[in-house]
Amino acid sequence: MADFSFDIVSEINQMELDNAFNQADREVGTRFDFKNTGTKYEKSELKITIESDTEERAKAALDVLKDKLVKRQVSLKHLEAKDPELSGKIYRIQCIFKEGISTENAKKIAKLIRDEGPKSVKTQIQGESLRVSSKSKDDLQSVMAQVKNGDWDFAVQFTNYR
C-alpha cells in the first residue's frame, strides 16, 4: 500500500495580496480623512511602502492595509511592518511580507509531530516546506489538526494532499 502525504508550507496568495493592496490604495484615495495628507502606497514584489505627511496618517494607512489583508484572508503573520521613519518631510513605513518556513521552524513542527503525533507519521524537510507522510489518511488528518492548533509565529497552509 502506498504512503499518503501532504506538505506544510507558509505561502502568500499573490492575487489576494494584490487585491488587498489595490483596495487599500483605493480607500485611502477616496476617504475624507486622508485628503491632502499625501498618503500613498507603493508596491514591489513582497514589499509595500506607505508614505504620508504625518506619522498618525501613516499608521492609519497601515491599519487600512491590515484590514484589507484580513478581509482577503491573507494572514497578518506574513506581514512585518517596521516603525514609521521620518525621511525629509515624509513618514515612511516599510511592510515586508515573509514566505516560507525556515529550517528551524520546520524542525519545531517536526518535533511536535514526532512527540505528540501518531507513531506511523514520517516528516521530511524539503527547502521551505515540510513533507508529512503516513500509510493512514486518518493519521495525516490528525497531524493537520495538531499543526493547525499550534501556536506558531508564522502562517501555515497544507498543500499536495495525496
Side-chain angles (χ1 to χ4, degrees):
M1 188 169 150
D3 277 1
F4 300 103
S5 67
F6 68 89
D7 294 337
I8 301 173
V9 296
S10 180
E11 296 176 343
I12 300 172
N13 184 338
Q14 199 63 42
M15 294 193 60
E16 293 298 337
L17 178 61
D18 289 341
N19 288 338
F21 168 77
N22 291 332
Q23 287 177 349
D25 194 35
R26 196 173 319 117
E27 182 170 324
V28 164
T30 58
R31 270 185 35 184
F32 178 75
D33 56 337
F34 285 106
K35 291 281 189 215
N36 301 323
T37 61
T39 304
K40 64 180 179 178
Y41 295 100
E42 292 176 11
K43 182 176 183 297
S44 62
E45 279 306 304
L46 293 174
K47 184 177 171 185
I48 294 177
T49 305
I50 302 170
E51 295 182 353
S52 186
D53 293 344
T54 65
E55 185 176 354
E56 291 77 27
R57 287 294 109 208
K59 287 181 180 179
L62 176 62
D63 289 342
V64 169
L65 178 63
K66 285 180 180 179
D67 183 47
K68 298 304 177 189
L69 289 170
V70 168
K71 285 184 180 173
R72 303 299 307 183
Q73 275 122 26
V74 176
S75 175
L76 292 180
K77 290 181 179 181
H78 290 294
L79 176 66
E80 181 182 309
K82 307 242 189 303
D83 290 331
E85 300 171 353
L86 183 60
S87 174
K89 294 182 177 180
I90 296 174
Y91 284 89
R92 280 195 179 97
I93 299 177
Q94 301 288 336
C95 300
I96 299 166
F97 291 89
K98 302 175 290 185
E99 277 191 313
I101 298 175
S102 66
T103 305
E104 65 256 10
N105 286 334
K107 287 180 181 178
K108 287 179 191 175
I109 295 173
K111 182 175 177 2
L112 174 82
I113 293 169
R114 207 174 32 253
D115 293 347
E116 300 176 19
K119 299 300 174 204
S120 67
V121 175
K122 296 184 284 285
T123 60
Q124 180 181 7
I125 298 173
Q126 297 181 329
E128 293 187 338
S129 68
L130 180 71
R131 165 113 350 130
V132 180
S133 58
S134 175
K135 294 200 181 299
S136 167
K137 285 184 178 182
D138 293 337
D139 288 350
L140 290 181
Q141 288 179 343
S142 69
V143 168
M144 279 185 178
Q146 185 179 5
V147 170
K148 214 183 279 185
N149 293 333
D151 185 29
W152 311 110
D153 58 347
F154 53 93
V156 293
Q157 295 91 26
F158 306 105
T159 60
N160 294 336
Y161 187 78
R162 308 181 179 158

